[in-house]
Amino acid sequence: MQKIGESISKTARLMKSRVTKYAIVAVLIAVVAVIIATLANAYFIYHSISLETIMRAQQENITLWVIDAMPFLFALWGQYASTMIAYETGVMVVDQTHDLREQATSLEHQAQYEATHDPLTNLPNRILLRDRLDQSVHAGVRDNKRFALIILDVDHFKEINDTLGHYSGDRLLRRIALRLKGTVRDSDTVARLGGDEYALLLRNIKGNNDVKVIVNKVLKAFQEYFLLDGMKLVVQVSMGIAIFPDHGKDADTLLQRADVAMYVAKNEKSKYAIYSPKFDSHNPKRLTLMGELKQAIDNQELAIYFQPKIDVCEGRMKIQGVEALARWPHPEHGIVTPDEFIPLAERTRLIDDLTYLVIKKGMQTLVNWHNRGLKIDIAVNISPSTLLNYDLPDVLTGFLANYDIEPSFITFEITEGTFLKNPPRALEILNKLHEMGISLSIDDFGTGYSSLAYLRKMPVSEIKIDKGFVIDMLENESDAVIVKATIELAHNLGMKVTAEGVETKEIALKLQELGCDRLQGYYFSKPCSEKDFLSWVESRIKKRL
Ligand code: C2E
Ligand code: CA
Ligand code: CA
């Protein structure tokens, strides 16, 4: 503040000294004018220039008096003008600085708000919840106070979402947020952790009974149906509860244990469960997996399986590329499939590191193949949260430079949910990736709520029809209609179409007949290790596909 004040008075002084300089020049010009006028008067009226004639001219010629006054008038006017200009400059600079400071503060607040709140429900997000949990832990230790963390998950939300569509699903999530906020005190926090998962942080809890009172309020709030598009919807929830300090003395442990309790409540259909150490034996795999997954990623132990994507080009088939699919070779559980650990990684924010590892290992393998003359593409699955992270383009640029790979060999498979989470940001990042030369593909097409308006805006070059429509398309007429319509839609938008889940020759031929560009599925090959993939390629080359 003091600095700004100093700079304003410096600017004002500068302006003042400039105006003074011009005023001095004006005074000098006026003095010269007085001298010339006096000399001219003396010469033309008295026909000689001497001290006497100059004095006479000055005494007898009244017009000279007016000219004589000019230097004084200019000096006075200069002083006045410089003071006024300096004052006005000061006022203008103060006004502008004030406006700029207000704008900067409001932008800062907005950015801070967006980083810590869920855009759909306006509730605090996972980051802010963690922050409040940390604060509560400090306060709890200092004042010897207890608090409770409840993780609440909506039962069968996926089915609701699939049936009603994402738009109604989102509205339901907002309504749930409103009901939850109504059940707690103002000092408590209701947060959205992502998807259909919420958290309640209840401060100043005396015993388990206090928690049960609130849990019962929440259950009561959900007894009332939701009215959505004229439909009466009864929504059920499962809650897991962890209490500080009994069940954990830090934010991570509390979050993990409330999560374990929530799964127990869900499995036992008991609506809610307060954490107990015996739950760990109910769910040993899940609990240990959480800790081990981070280690497996840090130690780069995750493996990649490859599944070919076949180009159907004028009746001939050729390998266009592979999809990289993560696998976790676990010492006790064997190969753990992504359905088990990807949701876990997404919940614990490990998903970014996992994705970067898959991209890195995928690129490494691709370089080997390219060196051997197998010039094919690689597709990597990118979760919505990783795609919406501004880090992705920079991390990728580093990898591309390191492995010296043309970006056109890389495809990112993203789901429709990516656009819905944060459309402007998704568009910004997708455009950046597209400009870098990366191909983009919409995965699991048909399972989410896709708006044509979004689809046309996104720089996407491929649509992958979800395997759910492909597997039964010969028996199920409505699946066949969807497949056919999707192929036409994609072609109208200038995109390629890949059908996944091609399990039989008949389906492959039918898809070819419908004009599908690429095929992927067990009929050609299951996802397999690099070694098995290369043997498959060799056998295919022998058989000429
Ligand atoms: P996705 O992207 O839809 O991948 C295709 C899945 O369909 C793969 O399952 C593949 O094994 C399976 N599939 C392929 N052809 C057939 C077929 O003909 N019939 C049947 N029934 N299934 C077929 P997978 O490998 O278990 O992956 C499951 C999901 O896990 C993937 O679905 C993807 O969403 C996710 N995932 C896998 N790896 C990654 C990864 O590195 N990052 C992220 N974010 N997600 C991944
Ligand atoms: Ca995929
Ligand atoms: Ca898929």
Side-chain angles (χ1 to χ4, degrees):
M1 192 67 195
Q2 203 184 349
K3 272 209 178 129
I4 293 174
E6 277 169 18
S7 123
I8 291 170
S9 61
K10 206 170 145 194
T11 314
R13 272 205 304 277
L14 202 75
M15 291 305 291
K16 204 171 162 178
S17 84
R18 276 214 184 157
V19 177
T20 309
K21 224 192 275 168
Y22 287 121
I24 289 171
V25 172
V27 169
L28 285 176
I29 291 172
V31 168
V32 171
V34 168
I35 293 170
I36 293 173
T38 313
L39 291 176
N41 243 289
Y43 183 75
F44 288 114
I45 298 175
Y46 307 109
H47 309 292
S48 77
I49 294 175
S50 65
L51 189 63
E52 194 200 332
T53 53
I54 289 172
M55 295 281 286
R56 275 184 68 190
Q58 276 291 342
Q59 278 165 7
E60 290 168 11
N61 198 331
I62 297 171
T63 47
L64 273 185
W65 296 358
V66 177
I67 297 175
D68 287 348
M70 285 317 222
F72 301 102
L73 286 175
F74 278 153
L76 274 174
W77 170 76
Q79 274 303 309
Y80 172 75
S82 68
T83 311
M84 282 313 287
I85 286 175
Y87 172 74
E88 279 170 11
T89 312
V91 170
M92 258 158 61
V93 174
V94 169
D95 281 354
Q96 283 171 4
T97 312
H98 182 74
D99 286 355
L100 280 174
R101 197 176 309 116
E102 272 192 349
Q103 275 176 25
T105 315
S106 104
L107 281 175
E108 219 170 84
H109 281 160
Q110 196 187 336
Q112 173 90 9
Y113 185 85
E114 281 172 7
T116 52
H117 287 78
D118 163 49
L120 181 68
T121 57
N122 276 332
L123 290 179
N125 64 11
R126 190 181 277 273
I127 296 170
L128 187 54
L129 175 77
R130 258 205 76 104
D131 198 46
R132 296 209 176 147
L133 265 175
D134 285 335
Q135 283 173 17
S136 302
V137 167
H138 285 306
V141 171
R142 190 185 58 219
D143 307 331
N144 202 13
K145 282 201 170 131
R146 290 148 67 83
F147 64 85
L149 172 70
I150 302 181
I151 288 187
L152 179 147
D153 194 275
V154 182
D155 295 342
H156 311 296
F157 181 73
K158 196 178 173 316
E159 284 139 55
I160 300 175
N161 215 23
D162 288 350
T163 316
L164 300 182
H166 274 273
Y167 179 65
S168 299
D170 282 355
R171 284 201 307 172
L172 180 62
L173 291 172
R174 271 197 289 267
R175 305 262 186 93
I176 291 174
L178 290 177
R179 284 201 189 179
L180 286 175
K181 274 178 83 169
T183 58
V184 300
R185 294 163 297 189
D186 286 345
S187 58
D188 297 333
T189 297
V190 179
R192 179 161 172 241
L193 299 179
D196 55 350
E197 209 173 59
Y198 299 82
L200 280 72
L201 172 60
L202 312 174
R203 300 209 166 100
N204 290 334
I205 293 294
K206 291 200 180 62
N208 286 6
N209 262 345
D210 282 3
V211 184
K212 284 185 189 161
V213 168
I214 294 176
V215 163
N216 281 324
K217 279 188 198 168
V218 174
L219 291 175
K220 195 160 177 222
F222 280 89
Q223 277 170 7
E224 190 63 45
Y225 62 79
F226 288 85
L227 197 59
L228 212 68
D229 298 333
M231 264 191 300
K232 293 175 177 175
L233 214 67
V234 177
V235 172
Q236 288 179 335
V237 295
S238 301
M239 284 177 275
I241 302 150
I243 296 173
F244 171 89
D246 313 4
H247 305 140
K249 293 187 174 59
D250 61 78
D252 274 337
T253 314
L254 289 163
L255 276 165
Q256 194 189 64
R257 297 205 157 150
D259 200 44
V260 168
M262 189 273 288
Y263 271 85
V264 170
K266 204 163 258 239
N267 283 342
E268 296 184 348
K269 300 195 173 32
S270 57
K271 293 192 170 43
Y272 74 93
I274 298 179
Y275 173 81
S276 145
K278 69 172 191 282
F279 289 170
D280 295 350
S281 59
H282 273 66
N283 209 339
K285 191 168 166 195
R286 195 185 151 75
L287 194 67
T288 43
L289 279 185
M290 273 202 228
E292 287 171 350
L293 181 61
K294 183 171 166 33
Q295 226 179 340
I297 294 170
D298 287 348
N299 298 341
Q300 314 214 338
E301 282 162 10
L302 287 194
I304 310 182
Y305 273 24
F306 301 96
Q307 187 179 34
K309 281 167 119 174
I310 309 291
D311 226 338
V312 189
C313 177
E314 289 157 9
R316 285 181 53 231
M317 296 197 182
K318 102 179 198 300
I319 309 170
Q320 180 266 334
V322 290
E323 176 172 1
L325 293 155
R327 294 289 183 272
W328 180 9
H330 192 277
E332 280 166 49
H333 308 299
I335 301 275
V336 183
T337 58
D339 289 337
E340 273 198 75
F341 65 83
I342 294 287
L344 209 62
E346 282 175 340
R347 293 156 81 95
T348 51
R349 297 287 319 148
L350 282 175
I351 191 68
D352 289 352
D353 288 339
L354 184 150
T355 307
Y356 300 154
L357 182 61
V358 173
I359 299 176
K360 216 162 82 171
K361 284 197 169 188
M363 284 188 176
Q364 224 161 23
T365 316
L366 200 69
V367 169
N368 292 341
W369 293 345
H370 283 192
N371 288 342
R372 296 171 58 157
L374 185 61
K375 286 257 175 191
I376 57 173
D377 294 0
I378 193 164
V380 179
N381 294 286
I382 310 283
S383 296
S385 63
T386 307
L387 191 109
L388 293 172
N389 185 341
Y390 282 110
D391 289 354
L392 181 67
D394 295 315
V395 172
L396 188 71
T397 308
F399 287 166
L400 285 169
N402 187 17
Y403 293 106
D404 197 16
I405 288 185
E406 280 291 318
S408 59
F409 286 109
I410 313 288
T411 299
F412 281 171
E413 294 190 3
I414 54 173
T415 51
E416 297 162 80
T418 311
F419 314 139
L420 299 165
K421 249 184 147 177
N422 188 340
R425 192 193 284 197
L427 188 63
E428 199 183 340
I429 297 179
L430 289 176
N431 278 333
K432 169 82 185 150
L433 294 170
H434 176 68
E435 277 166 26
M436 285 169 63
I438 302 290
S439 303
L440 298 164
S441 165
I442 303 184
D443 205 356
D444 304 340
F445 189 81
T447 56
Y449 165 86
S450 260
S451 142
L452 259 181
Y454 281 140
L455 209 58
R456 276 173 33 189
K457 267 198 226 163
M458 301 287 166
V460 169
S461 58
E462 183 195 60
I463 283 180
K464 287 186 83 174
I465 309 177
D466 188 63
K467 54 182 176 288
F469 300 110
V470 177
I471 288 174
D472 290 329
M473 64 177 280
L474 295 183
E475 288 81 42
N476 187 324
E477 182 59 27
S478 64
D479 282 356
V481 169
I482 290 173
V483 170
K484 191 166 179 281
T486 309
I487 294 173
E488 276 165 20
L489 169 75
H491 286 167
N492 285 338
L493 291 173
M495 299 173 186
K496 297 259 183 216
V497 194
T498 297
E500 56 175 35
V502 181
E503 294 189 349
T504 62
K505 187 175 180 178
E506 290 69 36
I507 292 181
L509 290 173
K510 181 72 192 167
L511 285 163
Q512 222 175 321
E513 190 190 307
L514 291 176
C516 187
D517 306 286
R518 292 165 191 162
L519 310 177
Q520 178 183 355
Y522 293 171
Y523 170 59
F524 300 99
S525 164
K526 285 198 168 179
C528 57
S529 67
E530 186 194 358
K531 191 165 150 270
D532 291 346
F533 174 70
L534 289 176
S535 325
W536 179 85
V537 172
E538 266 176 36
S539 72
R540 281 277 138 172
I541 290 172
K542 275 188 202 134
K543 282 198 235 161
R544 298 197 169 181
L545 273 170

